[in-house]
Amino acid sequence: MKSIATLIEQNNKRLLNTRNNILATLAYFDMWDYPLTYGEIFLFLENKYGQHDFTEALDHLIANKLVFHFDRFYSLKNDYMIAVKRNKGNKKAAELINKAKEVGAFLIRFPYVRGIGISGSLSKNCADDNSDIDFFIITERNRLWIARTFMHMFKKLTFLVGKQHNHCMNYYIDEARLQIVEKNIYTAIEVATIIPLEGDITFESFYGANTWMHDFLPNKCMRLATARPLKKAWFKSLIERLFNNRLGNWLDNTLMQITSGRWNKKTEMKKLNMRGAVMSMAASKHFAKPAPENFQLKLIERYRIKVSNLLQQFEEQVAQ
């Protein structure tokens, strides 16, 4: 039977780990000045904890002014305006999500598209007047590049009417490789926060292939219920029948080579996108996505340093 001293030591260690997890969770979203609700903090913790331990740890951090509570939000910054900004951003996000549903219902009609979801900041209920609508797209196996080419031919037309920000189709995978290759806190949060719009069965398979996400976010559940089932469309079926053969195989491979070659040249020439970042794309037969080394890896390193400094500050305060 454990002694009282041992039980107290174990309890203190558990609470310390819980407080560290809370700080790390808030630190991630703090990089975007985005405070979290009580429930959101709990969902994005990297470990499972009981409700009592979680509440006690959070209250301790607030009492020691390491975490600040404004309305229903919690933040590392002692600034009430961060809550005002989030409320405003949530309202704008609700408007854009409704627009994204309309756009998604249109994009799913393109040949070989099997799933459409909202990704990026909008999937986290965050937006402002300059926000884009980012889409995560799943295609038929071995037909990603045909699907992507059709969709980006359409996107070029959206520039003529100034609607390109509503059609940011920057992340594609196909049904042959549904598992996300990079496995880290960034990709785990991105996978967990995708809002599926179209293709319920497709997204069920996608989440089944990415259960590794629970290693980083054991409390987070998926949003399968938000995806609508696929509907048959005569034009889509006709185009797919035309390319379900050797010609389609050749065309998909050729489009991949042409597109990746163009993007490689843009990267070599250090062309900048509208946000001032060097344009780059990671491409293979089964995916087309932003190159991880240009944003993802830099963000993870920034997050690691932020958490390290924050936990050091916490340890110093506890030791006093």
Side-chain angles (χ1 to χ4, degrees):
M1 187 173 180
K2 295 180 179 179
S3 66
I4 294 178
T6 300
L7 291 174
I8 292 175
E9 182 181 355
Q10 290 178 344
N11 182 64
N12 289 339
K13 184 177 181 180
R14 185 173 66 254
L15 289 177
L16 178 61
N17 288 336
T18 309
R19 292 193 290 263
N20 287 348
N21 268 204
I22 291 172
L23 290 173
T25 299
L26 288 170
Y28 186 88
F29 290 90
D30 187 67
M31 292 189 292
W32 291 273
D33 289 333
Y34 194 74
L36 299 178
T37 65
Y38 177 94
E40 288 168 343
I41 298 172
F42 187 80
L43 289 177
F44 287 104
L45 292 175
E46 66 178 27
N47 291 302
K48 281 184 173 290
Y49 299 102
Q51 200 76 33
H52 175 77
D53 289 343
F54 172 68
T55 301
E56 183 179 351
L58 183 57
D59 288 344
H60 180 273
L61 291 170
I62 294 171
N64 286 275
K65 300 187 182 304
L66 285 165
V67 172
F68 301 92
H69 186 196
F70 306 107
D71 296 335
R72 59 194 180 96
F73 301 120
Y74 298 83
S75 172
L76 298 179
K77 292 184 173 70
N78 186 15
D79 182 1
Y80 178 76
M81 290 307 297
I82 203 169
V84 174
K85 179 183 176 183
R86 163 144 186 193
N87 281 323
K88 183 179 179 181
N90 288 167
K91 184 177 180 180
K92 181 63 177 180
E95 298 173 4
L96 287 182
I97 287 173
N98 287 331
K99 179 63 179 178
K101 290 177 180 178
E102 297 176 9
V103 176
F106 173 72
L107 295 178
I108 196 65
R109 299 177 184 178
F110 278 78
Y112 296 115
V113 178
R114 299 293 182 258
I116 299 282
I118 301 172
S119 60
S121 60
L122 185 57
S123 70
K124 299 161 191 65
N125 207 27
C126 179
D128 58 30
D129 292 335
N130 299 315
S131 292
D132 298 330
I133 299 178
D134 294 319
F135 288 103
F136 178 83
I137 298 165
I138 303 175
T139 73
E140 171 68 41
R141 61 180 58 233
N142 300 321
R143 290 295 182 269
L144 184 154
W145 292 97
I146 293 178
R148 186 184 182 281
T149 300
F150 274 117
M151 297 178 87
H152 279 258
M153 287 172 63
F154 162 75
K155 184 175 179 178
K156 289 186 181 298
L157 298 177
T158 66
F159 280 88
L160 300 177
V161 292
K163 298 292 184 180
Q164 67 272 19
H165 300 297
N166 293 339
H167 303 81
C168 293
M169 302 166 285
N170 57 2
Y171 203 120
Y172 290 79
I173 61 172
D174 78 358
E175 292 180 317
R177 298 283 177 84
L178 289 174
Q179 187 177 98
I180 302 300
V181 176
E182 303 88 11
K183 298 176 177 61
N184 52 56
I185 186 61
Y186 172 79
T187 53
I189 289 177
E190 292 304 302
V191 168
T193 55
I194 287 172
I195 303 176
L197 298 178
E198 305 284 343
D200 54 348
I201 295 176
T202 300
F203 272 100
E204 184 176 352
S205 299
F206 169 73
Y207 289 130
N210 288 282
T211 55
W212 59 266
M213 182 272 300
H214 292 292
D215 294 337
F216 294 89
L217 304 170
N219 301 309
K220 193 73 174 71
C221 298
M222 304 304 181
R223 306 191 227 188
L224 279 175
T226 63
R228 299 194 302 181
L230 290 177
K231 295 181 180 179
K232 290 185 178 180
W234 70 268
F235 178 76
K236 180 175 182 174
S237 299
L238 174 63
I239 297 297
E240 290 181 3
R241 282 199 296 270
L242 289 176
F243 294 109
N244 285 342
N245 47 45
R246 290 182 178 178
L247 173 62
N249 295 337
W250 172 85
L251 182 60
D252 197 79
N253 291 331
T254 301
L255 291 172
M256 177 186 68
Q257 293 170 2
I258 292 173
T259 306
S260 61
R262 287 177 176 175
W263 273 91
N264 287 338
K265 287 183 179 179
K266 291 178 182 179
T267 304
E268 291 172 1
M269 296 174 64
K270 298 187 183 301
K271 285 193 174 183
L272 304 180
N273 59 23
M274 297 180 67
R275 296 176 180 175
V278 176
M279 300 177 70
S280 63
M281 180 175 69
S284 82
K285 180 66 175 174
H286 305 293
F287 64 75
K289 59 188 180 183
E293 61 271 14
N294 276 16
F295 176 76
Q296 182 184 137
L297 298 181
K298 292 179 181 178
L299 183 140
I300 291 173
E301 178 61 15
R302 178 184 163 200
Y303 170 64
R304 186 193 65 78
I305 294 173
K306 186 178 184 70
V307 171
S308 178
N309 292 337
L310 189 61
L311 294 184
Q312 182 178 351
Q313 176 188 347
F314 178 44
E315 290 172 3
E316 290 173 353
Q317 185 166 329
V318 170
Q320 291 177 356

